[in-house]
């Protein structure tokens, strides 16, 4: 497990017992897990990035075992001795927690771990929303490996999606875009579809002679899904070069992002003016100009006055902010936390 720089306080002097951190924040994705201990004043006491610990991959028991090891390591950074209670509240935003019963089961498992006095598990989209909105309400759309959206009204009422891919009406994200790239590239290569520069670009990306060779390599398992998902970068490069097919995919992704946001707002009866729409996930946080321009343009037409913004802190900061809300921390604490993560983020182009 690799440590992420983030601790901002010195170790406790020998023999001095540390006070209990206010929040243990967890952002759990499929491939990585970020943890942070947060003081009541918003200070980041310790932070760590570890491997994935998804309950979808390891089951709830296996996920808790993996989280437990990461919690132990992060607690050690903060000068806390485990096992046992290491924080007042545990705020976990987890990929795959798509149903209320899944969130309830994960919350129960976190409480059973004995790491905090209270715990809440929720879908990771809530971390994107809280990380990107100064308010506790608004809309968040994550477009990373997949695509998802949540809306929270000022009253606290929520609108969500199942986010189980094409089965539940979703389109796009890294995997969806990559397969669409291959679909159009193959049809352009064999004549079933319009000519496109995607085929040659895909082949060049993998160092193969043709897009057909890419398809064969994927079929044989030589190119994995993790390899295919990188075709989003190929798509944006070809679209920027003026290729009509590639540009149509970028436009379609922008439309889907906006449709999710607007439909969620409508379900809650939210007037669009002034509603923050936080854009998160790797595809959106890459800040590709063509995609963001299309999102801004279409959102302005569909939801006049809505305020789109790209997430500028890591999602674990959103989980931490949710935790600070839960323990009644001050606005100054939230600002201190945001300032820490904004100052440690890589510079944006």
């Amino acid at each position: 497990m690799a440590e992420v720089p983030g601790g901002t306080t010195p170790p406790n002097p020998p023999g001095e017992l540390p006070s209990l951190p206010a929040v243990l924040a967890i952002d759990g994705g499929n491939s990585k897990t970020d943890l942070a201990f947060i003081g009541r004043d918003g200070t980041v006491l310790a932070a760590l990035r570890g491997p994935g610990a998804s309950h979808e991959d390891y089951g709830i028991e296996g996920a808790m075992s993996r989280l437990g090891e990461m919690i132990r390591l992060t607690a050690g950074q903060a000068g806390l001795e485990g096992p046992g209670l290491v924080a007042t509240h545990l705020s976990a935003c987890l990929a795959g927690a798509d149903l209320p019963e899944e969130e309830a089961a994960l919350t129960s498992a976190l409480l059973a771990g004995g790491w905090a006095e209270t715990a809440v598990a929720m879908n990771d989209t809530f971390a994107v929303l809280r990380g990107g909105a100064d308010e506790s309400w608004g809309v968040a759309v994550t477009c990373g490996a997949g695509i998802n959206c949540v809306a929270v009204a000022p009253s606290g009422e929520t609108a969500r999606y199942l986010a189980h891919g094409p089965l539940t009406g979703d389109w796009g994200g890294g995997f969806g875009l990559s397969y669409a790239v291959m679909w159009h590239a193959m049809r352009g290569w064999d004549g079933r579809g319009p000519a496109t520069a995607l085929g040659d670009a895909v082949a060049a990306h993998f160092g193969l002679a043709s897009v057909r060779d890419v398809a064969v390599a994927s079929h044989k398992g030589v190119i994995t899904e993790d390899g295919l998902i990188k075709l989003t970068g190929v798509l944006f490069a070809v679209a920027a070069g003026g290729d009509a097919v590639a540009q149509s995919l970028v436009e379609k992704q922008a439309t889907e992002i906006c449709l999710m946001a607007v439909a969620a707002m409508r379900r809650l009866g939210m007037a669009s003016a002034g509603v923050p729409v936080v854009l998160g996930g790797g595809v959106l946080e890459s800040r590709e100009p063509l995609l963001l321009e299309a999102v801004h343009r279409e959102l302005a037409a569909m939801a006049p006055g809505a305020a789109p913004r790209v997430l500028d802190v890591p999602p674990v900061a959103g989980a931490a902010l949710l935790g600070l809300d839960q323990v009644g921390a001050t606005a100054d604490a939230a600002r201190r936390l945001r300032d820490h993560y904004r100052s440690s983020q890589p510079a944006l182009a």
Side-chain angles (χ1 to χ4, degrees):
M1 295 180 184
E3 179 181 331
V4 170
T8 58
T9 58
N12 294 282
E16 180 178 319
L17 290 175
S19 58
L20 207 61
V23 176
L24 167 55
I26 299 175
D27 170 51
N30 292 312
S31 60
K32 63 178 175 60
T33 305
D34 283 328
L35 298 87
F37 280 100
I38 313 296
R40 185 173 284 273
D41 66 350
T43 300
V44 179
L45 304 171
L48 178 142
R49 171 165 290 181
S54 170
H55 67 284
E56 293 182 309
D57 292 331
Y58 302 102
I60 290 183
E61 184 177 344
M64 293 302 115
S65 176
R66 293 171 74 86
L67 282 177
E69 175 61 14
M70 287 183 260
I71 291 169
R72 184 187 68 78
L73 291 172
T74 318
Q77 283 188 43
L80 299 162
E81 295 296 331
L85 203 65
V86 292
T88 300
H89 178 69
L90 195 163
S91 175
C93 295
L94 307 173
D98 298 315
L99 302 173
E101 54 265 37
E102 292 170 336
E103 291 176 330
L106 288 163
T107 295
S108 295
L110 291 169
L111 285 169
W115 300 301
E117 295 171 356
T118 58
V120 174
M122 61 184 71
N123 185 267
D124 55 345
T125 312
F126 286 96
V128 172
L129 175 57
R130 189 65 184 91
D134 295 327
E135 308 84 355
S136 59
W137 58 273
V139 180
V141 182
T142 58
C143 190
I147 188 168
N148 199 358
C149 173
V150 65
V152 179
S155 66
E157 186 182 2
T158 63
R160 300 172 61 173
Y161 294 90
L162 289 174
H164 294 160
L167 181 70
T168 53
D170 314 314
W171 188 89
F175 285 121
L177 283 172
S178 296
Y179 278 94
V181 166
M182 285 298 301
W183 193 88
H184 284 283
M186 280 299 306
R187 292 171 72 89
W189 179 82
D190 65 21
R192 286 178 291 173
T196 173
L198 285 170
D200 288 343
V202 167
H205 173 77
F206 288 109
L208 296 174
S210 73
V211 69
R212 181 187 183 280
D213 295 322
V214 174
V216 170
S218 178
H219 172 71
K220 291 181 175 180
V222 176
I223 296 174
T224 65
E225 282 196 333
D226 288 341
L228 285 177
I229 200 171
K230 294 179 173 61
L231 290 180
T232 53
V234 173
L235 169 65
F236 290 128
V238 173
D243 184 86
V245 172
Q247 288 179 346
S248 73
L249 290 178
V250 175
E251 291 285 341
K252 182 176 181 180
Q253 182 64 92
T255 298
E256 289 295 319
I257 289 165
C258 295
L259 283 172
M260 291 190 96
V262 172
M265 280 189 267
R266 287 175 179 162
R267 284 161 59 189
L268 295 177
M270 296 171 69
S272 58
V275 174
V277 179
V278 183
L279 307 173
V283 173
L284 284 164
E285 290 176 51
S286 68
R287 296 175 180 260
E288 289 291 341
L290 283 178
L291 178 61
L292 289 185
E293 288 165 10
V295 168
H296 281 249
R297 182 178 63 251
E298 295 200 32
L299 191 63
M302 294 183 194
R309 61 190 72 165
V310 179
L311 185 67
D312 64 352
V313 296
V316 69
L321 287 163
L322 287 166
L324 289 176
D325 293 343
Q326 187 74 21
V327 301
T330 65
D332 283 343
R335 279 192 291 271
R336 182 174 289 108
L337 181 82
R338 286 188 186 280
D339 288 345
H340 168 84
Y341 278 106
R342 283 172 176 158
S343 67
S344 61
Q345 284 281 85
L348 296 170

